[in-house]
Amino acid sequence: MTLPSRVHPSWEEPIGGLFSLASMEKLRKEIIPAAGTGLRPEKANIFRVFEMPTDQIRVAVLGLDPYPREGMAMGYAFAVPHGFPIPPSLRIIAQELGITRDNTTFCPDLQTWRNQGVFLLNTGLTMEEGKTGGHVEYWKEFITGVIKAIDLHQNPVWLLLGKKAQAYSEYITHHDRIVMAGHPASEVYPGTKNTFLGTGCFDKVNSLLTTKIKFD
């Protein structure tokens, strides 16, 4: 099968076969069309994260699924386009990094992270508005294959945020390269334990890298 247009050619060998999975066929023909105008992100951005060449991946961040608001999901975990209000997850990430609201250098689209080799992957690459996590199971086989391929060929540092992301740790060979923390969104729900703020997860990621990532 031909790779989707936004997928860099370097992905063809490690994951090209995954696009022919029966679960991917179901997504293409049933699940994604059924979402209609409520699909997040728009079709053109579903595989946008794979624009990054495989040999540039230094850190792989695994989140949940896209933002539900129209125009907000970009095809990258946690990132939003410039001009949108900062959503809770990204605001909590900025708080953990010590970035204040008046900081004018923080890029909500996380382009500065991506420029340094941070691969922003979700466990589900699509969702239907109003149904958070509704597509995650359909993407599981594909995401598992992607994680195995990255683990085999690149051996990055992994940052797994939230229980759904952490469930994929079994497919990562080098457990000493894994950093785990709660999903940032959990911090905004009353009664939940603080599982992200104060974990120092970004410092832990950098401690495993020879050349540090500048998270700002």
Side-chain angles (χ1 to χ4, degrees):
M1 177 182 174
T2 304
L3 293 178
S5 60
R6 302 203 81 151
V7 179
H8 190 273
S10 62
W11 289 99
E12 183 167 11
E13 181 179 349
I15 71 166
L18 298 178
F19 291 96
S20 299
L21 292 169
S23 54
M24 293 295 286
E25 188 74 1
K26 186 176 181 67
L27 275 161
R28 279 193 298 269
K29 292 186 175 181
E30 299 178 34
I31 306 304
I32 288 174
T37 58
L39 180 69
R40 307 289 183 263
E42 60 185 35
K43 286 184 180 180
N45 287 336
I46 291 174
F47 296 105
R48 192 177 185 184
V49 66
F50 295 99
E51 289 181 329
M52 181 182 290
T54 56
D55 63 1
Q56 290 185 11
I57 300 174
R58 299 175 58 210
V59 175
V61 177
L62 191 58
L64 181 55
D65 59 2
Y67 292 120
R69 181 176 167 183
E70 184 177 1
M72 184 175 283
M74 297 180 63
Y76 306 116
F78 300 109
V80 293
H82 286 276
F84 277 86
I86 304 296
S89 292
L90 193 54
R91 175 171 51 81
I92 295 297
I93 286 172
Q95 185 177 339
E96 172 66 12
L97 291 168
I99 297 170
T100 60
R101 288 177 179 271
D102 60 353
N103 187 300
T104 57
T105 62
F106 181 62
C107 297
D109 63 359
L110 303 183
Q111 179 68 52
T112 56
W113 294 20
R114 290 182 277 120
N115 288 345
Q116 299 173 86
V118 180
F119 187 70
L120 300 166
L121 183 67
N122 274 318
T123 56
L125 300 189
T126 59
M127 70 164 292
E128 182 178 353
E129 186 175 4
K131 299 180 180 179
T132 300
H135 289 181
V136 168
E137 284 303 309
Y138 299 107
W139 284 102
K140 185 174 182 179
E141 190 175 9
F142 178 82
I143 296 298
T144 297
V146 169
I147 289 171
K148 287 180 176 179
I150 294 173
D151 175 66
L152 177 64
H153 296 284
Q154 298 306 125
N155 189 25
V157 174
W158 294 86
L159 178 56
L160 310 182
L161 298 178
K163 291 182 178 179
K164 290 186 181 296
Q166 291 162 15
Y168 286 90
S169 63
E170 65 177 296
Y171 305 113
I172 299 170
T173 305
H174 305 280
H175 281 201
D176 59 332
R177 303 279 286 176
I178 298 175
V179 176
M180 296 188 186
H183 194 283
S186 66
E187 298 287 341
V188 304
Y189 295 111
T192 59
K193 294 181 180 179
N194 293 332
T195 58
F196 179 80
L197 287 175
T199 60
C201 57
F202 297 106
D203 289 335
K204 291 175 182 177
V205 166
N206 270 329
S207 72
L208 296 171
L209 294 169
T210 302
T211 304
K212 299 183 185 301
I213 298 291
K214 191 176 181 182
F215 290 107
D216 60 8

